[in-house]
Amino acid sequence: MDERTVRLGALLRYKQRSQPREARGRAVVELLCGADIDPSAAEPIERQKTRAQLLNLEELRNDIGQDPKASRKLFEAVIEKDDTLPRRFLFQGEAAARPVGRIVIRMSASNIRYGTGSLVSRHLLLTNNHVIDSEDTGIRGFLELGYYELAPNMLPAEHQTFQIRPDKFFYTSEDLDYTLVGVENDNGYATTAAYGQVDLLSASGKALIGERVNIVQHSGGRPQVISIRENTTADVFDQWVHYTADTEPGSSGAAVFNDEWQLVALHHASVPTGRDAAGSLVNEGVRVSAIVDDLKRALS
């Protein structure tokens, strides 16, 4: 799959979702304002229950679906909450960012392709299909971990390079635009185990509409950057999630996290919505739960 096809698909899905997206957005607002509405109009009840469980709000989880006030409390907890965060947010963010690296693919002497990918085990790398679409492309690539700036105007930190190994494992999906591929776990100087991994959680409910997301990426192939706070989930449906955030080419394959640093989606496209003269954008990622379900079907 090429990047143009990816963008066209994302824009088509965005336009097709206009009415249900706006209806769900209104439902969230009405719910937060205390209106007597069915909470499932904002989010499916099971997704609300799972989100409450992931937030360790077990008592609230038990009431969701029984008492509309419970759903209101949940949305207040994830959308209208205080902007302050516990200090562990920084430490958890550092741990989540370490296994996210820059992908460098030497297609030819003069053609280098960049992307972003995440270790999901010591031996496996997750990225987009349009970044690594075949084993032949994969064998030309490397994963660079620890590639980030230590301070402004300084050279990036000393980073480690690991060969991508499609001969060890390779599975890709054009429909969901993801690739799971093997990676060398020891380069003679360091091991991928030292960088940790991103867990693929199958639970559906890791982000609700209006909730913030955080994106770890290598925009433009540059040292790692993190987009936090001014990013919100705009729509969640089927296999995709839409969100507002700052991304650019090279961000393909970036990790999209919630505030608990659980992986929500695999970023794959930004498209103009055409809604205003400023050229507003919407970002689209494939939901991690959809990736896990697809892998279970393919590998069972």
Side-chain angles (χ1 to χ4, degrees):
M1 180 184 293
D2 60 70
E3 193 164 352
R4 181 174 180 274
T5 302
V6 168
R7 291 179 182 277
L8 287 174
L11 182 58
L12 179 61
R13 282 186 287 269
Y14 177 81
K15 291 184 177 299
Q16 289 175 334
R17 290 284 297 182
S18 294
Q19 289 186 345
R21 179 176 59 252
E22 291 171 3
R24 291 176 73 183
R26 287 194 300 270
V28 170
V29 172
E30 291 175 10
L31 189 65
L32 289 173
C33 290
D36 183 18
I37 66 166
D38 181 355
S40 65
E43 288 276 2
I45 295 300
E46 284 307 309
R47 280 181 48 78
Q48 292 185 41
K49 285 178 171 288
T50 302
R51 191 74 192 103
Q53 185 176 26
L54 291 171
L55 289 168
N56 296 312
L57 301 173
E58 197 61 39
E59 185 174 335
L60 190 62
R61 176 186 180 276
N62 294 333
D63 290 339
I64 289 174
Q66 307 297 322
D67 182 355
K69 292 180 182 179
S71 292
R72 184 174 302 120
K73 289 179 181 178
L74 174 65
F75 279 94
E76 287 171 348
V78 300
I79 296 175
E80 292 191 335
K81 64 182 179 183
D82 189 335
D83 277 343
T84 59
L85 289 163
R87 183 170 174 173
R88 60 178 170 79
F89 178 84
L90 299 177
F91 294 103
Q92 290 175 306
E94 166 64 16
R98 282 177 60 80
V100 180
R102 181 173 77 159
I103 294 175
V104 181
I105 301 173
R106 300 186 182 279
M107 302 302 292
S108 68
S110 60
N111 181 11
I112 298 178
R113 178 188 299 176
Y114 293 106
T116 302
S118 301
L119 288 172
V120 295
S121 82
R122 290 180 297 169
H123 305 278
L124 292 173
L125 170 69
L126 180 67
T127 189
N128 290 140
N129 167 272
H130 76 265
V131 174
I132 300 178
D133 59 355
S134 67
E135 294 185 53
D136 183 60
T137 299
I139 201 65
R140 302 167 186 264
F142 299 86
L143 174 67
E144 295 181 341
L145 294 170
Y147 184 60
Y148 62 92
E149 290 180 336
L150 289 171
N153 303 315
M154 285 185 63
L155 291 174
E158 182 177 351
H159 51 282
Q160 297 294 329
T161 300
F162 299 89
Q163 175 74 51
I164 294 174
R165 294 288 303 274
D167 57 313
K168 286 191 171 185
F169 184 87
F170 184 83
Y171 178 78
T172 193
S173 168
E174 282 197 16
D175 290 341
L176 293 180
D177 192 24
Y178 80 89
T179 292
L180 189 63
V181 62
V183 63
E184 195 67 63
N185 71 306
D186 190 334
N187 65 6
Y189 300 96
T191 66
T192 55
Y195 292 88
Q197 67 181 58
V198 176
D199 293 329
L200 300 181
L201 302 179
S202 61
S204 173
K206 293 181 288 295
L208 302 183
I209 290 176
E211 191 170 8
R212 292 187 178 99
V213 293
N214 309 298
I215 305 178
V216 182
Q217 56 192 306
H218 285 273
S219 304
R222 297 189 298 275
Q224 189 180 85
V225 294
I226 304 176
S227 178
I228 62 173
R229 312 321 299 145
E230 293 301 321
N231 320 306
T232 55
T233 304
D235 198 3
V236 182
F237 59 103
D238 301 330
Q239 300 158 325
W240 310 96
V241 57
H242 286 168
Y243 42 91
T244 59
D246 294 325
T247 60
E248 58 181 283
S251 299
S252 293
V256 183
F257 296 99
N258 60 23
D259 272 354
E260 286 71 48
W261 295 102
Q262 296 160 336
L263 190 65
V264 171
L266 178 69
H267 173 76
H268 85 138
S270 299
V271 293
T273 64
R275 294 186 62 182
D276 56 48
S280 60
L281 298 175
V282 68
N283 288 269
E284 181 179 81
V286 56
R287 292 173 57 186
V288 167
S289 54
I291 291 175
V292 173
D293 288 346
D294 187 65
L295 285 170
K296 286 178 178 179
R297 288 191 295 268
L299 304 178
S300 62

